[in-house]
Amino acid sequence: MPTSAAGSSHRGFTLLELLVVISIIAIASAGVAFAMRDARGAELEREAQRLGALLEAARAQSRSSGVPVRWRSTEGGFRFEGVPPKTLPENWLGTDTAVQGTAVLVLGPEPIIGRQSVVLGSISDPSRTLRLATDGLRPFSVQAQEP
């Protein structure tokens, strides 16, 4: 029965080495899977966050100027009425975002506005929706739409 002599090299990997390599690959794969998000869902969330920031900017501008500001959805985007032209953007960053229903938001100039909300949806996947809402006192925040 042949045995390895002292100082001779062996070929192949031990079971422990193989298990370590497989576990590293599994952990790396899980990390990649968790890091990847659905691009359309992320785009809709990014649009909702952006619109929330724009609404708060328009609300602050209305309060400081004393001029009422209204936000309306349009065919390819939205419009702020009561602010100087070209002050705020009037379109979505992508082409997959749309407002569901007809939405008009009154943003001021009163410090406390009424409870308001707007529902944003994905054109390519109508089941994806997000609701942007305020209770009139707090800033607009993004909320998952109930199915």
Side-chain angles (χ1 to χ4, degrees):
M1 178 154 89
T3 60
S4 298
S8 69
S9 63
H10 66 283
R11 296 190 178 200
F13 298 102
T14 65
L15 181 59
L16 181 59
E17 291 170 331
L18 289 174
L19 287 175
V20 167
V21 169
I22 290 172
S23 63
I24 289 172
I25 291 171
I27 291 170
S29 298
V32 168
F34 285 126
M36 292 176 56
R37 291 188 56 187
D38 182 15
R40 281 181 264 153
E43 181 182 337
L44 185 62
E45 187 173 337
R46 187 173 46 251
E47 291 281 17
Q49 292 289 344
R50 176 179 175 251
L51 180 59
L54 291 172
L55 292 173
E56 288 305 315
R59 189 174 175 186
Q61 188 169 351
S62 176
R63 287 175 63 188
S64 67
S65 68
V67 176
V69 173
R70 292 182 188 271
W71 178 89
R72 294 182 188 276
S73 62
T74 61
E75 183 65 32
F78 47 87
R79 181 176 59 234
F80 288 94
E81 299 169 350
V83 297
K86 309 271 185 188
T87 303
L88 296 170
E90 295 185 345
N91 53 7
W92 304 112
L93 294 175
T95 58
D96 195 46
T97 305
V99 174
Q100 293 187 347
T102 56
V104 176
L105 303 176
V106 179
L107 303 171
E110 299 82 16
I112 299 175
I113 59 176
R115 180 181 303 257
Q116 300 178 71
S117 68
V118 61
V119 177
L120 301 181
S122 171
I123 295 171
S124 62
D125 185 2
S127 66
R128 290 184 195 274
T129 59
L130 288 175
R131 183 172 177 254
L132 192 59
T134 181
D135 62 358
L137 194 56
R138 286 180 275 238
F140 282 87
S141 63
V142 179
Q143 304 163 353
Q145 184 74 352
E146 297 297 323

